[in-house]
Amino acid sequence: MAHTKEWRSSMKIRFDYNNMMQAYIGEHGITDEEIFAKSKLAKNALNFYKTNRGTGMMCWSELPYNQTEIVKELNETARYICKKFKNFVVLGIGGSALGPIAVFQALNHLRNNELPRKVRKVPKLYVEDNVDPERMASLLDVIDVEETMFNVITKSGSTSETMSQFLIISDILKKKLGDRAKEHIIATTSENKGNLIKIAQREGYKTFYIPDGVGGRFSELCPVGLLTAAVMGVNISEMLKGAADMDKACLNKNVSENPALAAAVLQYIAIEKGNNISVMMPYADGLKYIADWYCQLWGESLGKRIDLDGKEVFAGQTPVKALGVTDQHSQIQLYTEGPFDKVITFLGVDKYRAEVKIPDGYKDIPAVSFLCGHTLNELITAERMATEYALMRAGRLNQTIMLPELNEYTLGQLLMFFEIQTAFVGAMFNIDSFNQPGVEEGKNATYALLGKEGFEDKKKELASAPKKDAKYIIQ
């Protein structure tokens, strides 16, 4: 469905940072003068984004524009999968799983897998993003592999978690289906390097490629995320259009008119002031896993020991996920009365996709009957607004991103907003936002413990590590 210019204009997401400002929350807030003082830093961050987009590890910035042909192939493959298979299973971890989960939760029925097929119209989706043995065993208890398409996603083909899952599934399929096993596996990987592409070519798997210069946490708008979305009936072209329109808005050199740049400057100032925790709190179950996706994007991109000049900076801001209104009953007490070390970002929706009325009842009990005649829509909106107000009264930094509706176009905007904001903040800190050296130590230690060739020295190092003292273990 082609949307009009007027419709798209009505679907622009809104970034409201009133409650970040000193005029609203008092001494812990940010002033216009402080924002102005970062004008040069903001300009340099924007220039960095403009200059480096589409190059190196910033090829993700061009994804909204350069995938017209691959979208056609993804949609064709999705139609085939929907016609032939009852289940679609993603084998992946990190960005290969968090993005697909977030989009699925946002744009599909919240209880998709429990709907009858004639209502659902798409396969059941399972995203296997961990190697807990009970999890794999439980998956095999509820699916028939002969009715399932598996999408194994890893750029390098050396991700231990994903490849272990692949080896298990591949073995089961070969034992059950023989040569037809290849018809049940799609490999999403690098086109020209790594282990999975070699295996895919040897086995004859259908393949989709992760573009060079697109890291896992920035990969939702390429085949990593788009195939799953297409299989689940999502209009992926609209997602990309939303992302493209947000990208264009974020090229504006005026901070007050550039949503991601304004958000980046505010977070940078907040971090300088000691707010080293970023809480993402959606007020919609559909956006629940956006918070999980954001946690990887923000934490892995900005948590760096060394800056681009080789100086130790220990940069970063710890991301925390919450869910409104659920976590008003678990975390908000800390946010309103605990340390002044957080920025809370609310995600809200103007118009939910369902309306549920609260019926009349118990009129003799005012503490209950005041709810009657309202809707759950009114209640969740009131709860969000009330929480914003309570935090403002307590002098706590908070900001709100509002989506007119939750649809492909607005979700594409939201994903791109956070990715660009992350790139801006990384540039402001003069760090490499696109590597993850801190992840490698754990990976290498795992390789050594499992006897991977080439990691003998690391195994010796582990063997020489201090032994745990029994006096510090209570049983």
Side-chain angles (χ1 to χ4, degrees):
M1 175 182 174
H3 291 293
T4 65
K5 183 178 179 181
E6 290 73 20
W7 182 87
R8 293 189 194 283
S9 179
S10 72
M11 287 293 142
K12 286 183 179 179
I13 67 174
R14 308 187 304 277
F15 174 54
D16 176 356
Y17 60 94
N18 277 273
N19 289 346
M20 295 289 285
M21 304 304 291
Q22 194 175 95
Y24 285 83
I25 68 169
E27 63 175 307
H28 294 284
I30 296 168
T31 66
D32 289 325
E33 290 74 21
E34 287 175 310
I35 294 174
F36 181 77
K38 301 299 181 187
S39 296
K40 184 176 181 180
L41 194 67
K43 179 181 178 181
N44 290 341
L46 180 59
N47 287 340
F48 172 86
Y49 181 69
K50 289 180 176 179
T51 301
N52 293 283
R53 61 178 301 131
T55 66
M57 289 305 294
M58 286 187 62
C59 288
W60 57 269
S61 58
E62 291 296 324
L63 291 176
Y65 306 101
N66 61 14
Q67 295 183 96
T68 303
E69 291 304 314
I70 195 65
V71 164
K72 293 178 182 177
E73 185 179 355
L74 288 165
N75 283 330
E76 288 173 4
T77 302
R79 285 191 288 270
Y80 166 77
I81 293 169
C82 287
K83 183 177 180 181
K84 189 164 183 178
F85 296 94
K86 292 184 178 180
N87 311 299
F88 187 74
V89 175
V90 173
L91 306 178
I93 199 166
S96 300
L98 291 172
I101 291 170
V103 171
F104 169 67
Q105 179 80 1
L107 299 177
N108 286 85
H109 192 285
L110 294 181
R111 306 186 196 277
N112 179 81
N113 285 4
E114 298 169 43
L115 291 172
R117 179 63 188 249
K118 64 181 181 180
V119 177
R120 182 169 18 98
K121 297 181 181 178
V122 296
K124 293 182 179 181
L125 175 67
Y126 301 92
V127 181
E128 300 306 296
D129 64 340
N130 206 350
V131 289
D132 182 332
E134 294 184 26
R135 180 169 183 153
M136 178 57 73
S138 69
L139 173 70
L140 296 173
D141 283 340
V142 299
I143 67 167
D144 181 345
V145 296
E146 296 184 47
E147 299 176 333
T148 305
M149 176 65 83
F150 296 88
N151 182 20
V152 53
I153 308 174
T154 164
K155 194 172 188 178
S156 65
S158 61
T159 306
S160 299
E161 300 87 354
T162 304
M163 294 310 290
S164 65
Q165 293 173 332
F166 163 73
L167 288 168
I168 294 164
I169 295 300
S170 175
D171 182 64
I172 293 171
L173 287 170
K174 285 180 178 179
K175 286 176 178 176
K176 280 202 169 190
L177 300 173
D179 291 341
R180 292 190 296 115
K182 66 182 180 182
E183 299 171 10
H184 291 254
I185 295 177
I186 292 173
T188 303
T189 187
S190 171
E191 183 175 8
N192 45 40
K193 57 186 176 182
N195 303 311
L196 184 54
I197 188 60
K198 296 175 186 176
I199 295 170
Q201 290 170 346
R202 181 185 303 174
E203 300 288 351
Y205 298 152
K206 170 73 176 175
T207 54
F208 286 101
Y209 302 123
I210 305 171
D212 292 338
V214 177
R217 57 190 179 274
F218 291 89
S219 67
E220 176 55 27
L221 297 176
C222 79
V224 167
L226 295 182
L227 176 59
T228 301
V231 171
M232 291 297 108
V234 171
N235 185 331
I236 56 178
S237 294
E238 275 297 294
M239 269 182 60
L240 292 169
K241 176 60 178 171
D245 286 351
M246 176 55 69
D247 175 67
K248 292 168 186 172
C250 294
L251 297 178
N252 193 313
K253 64 182 180 180
N254 189 336
V255 174
S256 65
E257 297 176 7
N258 183 325
L261 190 57
V265 170
L266 289 163
Q267 283 285 22
Y268 183 85
I269 295 171
I271 294 168
E272 282 192 323
K273 288 173 172 280
N275 295 272
N276 60 354
I277 298 173
S278 174
V279 180
M280 183 61 57
M281 193 168 185
Y283 272 73
D285 276 45
L287 292 169
K288 177 179 180 179
Y289 291 107
I290 288 294
D292 292 66
W293 171 83
Y294 168 83
C295 282
Q296 184 198 10
L297 177 71
W298 199 248
E300 202 166 70
S301 297
L302 301 182
K304 301 294 160 64
R305 179 173 68 91
I306 302 291
D307 71 7
L308 294 174
D309 297 323
K311 178 183 176 183
E312 280 196 336
V313 292
F314 300 103
Q317 187 186 42
T318 302
V320 172
K321 59 184 180 181
L323 178 66
V325 297
T326 301
D327 288 314
Q328 286 178 208
H329 297 267
S330 65
Q331 297 180 32
I332 286 296
Q333 173 62 35
L334 172 66
Y335 301 163
T336 53
E337 295 191 1
F340 287 84
D341 59 356
K342 302 169 191 69
V343 178
I344 295 91
T345 302
F346 297 107
L347 301 181
V349 178
D350 289 328
K351 183 181 179 183
Y352 291 84
R353 289 169 294 193
E355 181 176 271
V356 177
K357 294 182 178 180
I358 303 170
D360 289 336
Y362 303 101
K363 291 185 178 181
D364 60 322
I365 307 176
V368 174
S369 63
F370 83 97
L371 295 166
C372 301
H374 292 289
T375 64
L376 292 184
N377 308 59
E378 291 176 282
L379 179 59
I380 194 170
T381 298
E383 298 247 27
R384 175 182 55 76
M385 294 173 66
T387 305
E388 289 180 29
Y389 177 76
L391 288 168
M392 183 269 289
R393 283 288 307 273
R396 310 300 170 127
L397 291 168
N398 68 93
Q399 55 194 3
T400 300
I401 300 171
M402 291 298 299
L403 285 67
E405 295 176 4
L406 184 46
N407 57 44
E408 289 94 338
Y409 181 71
T410 57
L411 187 64
Q413 291 178 67
L414 188 67
L415 296 174
M416 201 66 180
F417 170 91
F418 285 130
E419 290 182 2
I420 297 173
Q421 180 197 17
T422 301
F424 286 158
V425 174
M428 291 174 186
F429 277 114
N430 190 38
I431 58 173
D432 185 343
S433 301
F434 311 108
N435 66 359
Q436 50 276 338
V439 178
E440 300 307 315
E441 179 64 23
K443 283 185 178 181
N444 293 340
T446 300
Y447 296 153
L449 288 169
L450 293 178
K452 184 176 180 179
E453 186 177 343
F455 289 83
E456 292 79 10
D457 289 344
K458 178 61 69 173
K459 190 169 185 177
K460 291 178 183 177
E461 179 188 321
L462 286 164
S464 65
K467 302 300 180 184
K468 291 187 176 181
D469 194 325
K471 76 176 183 179
Y472 299 126
I473 301 173
I474 301 172
Q475 188 171 10

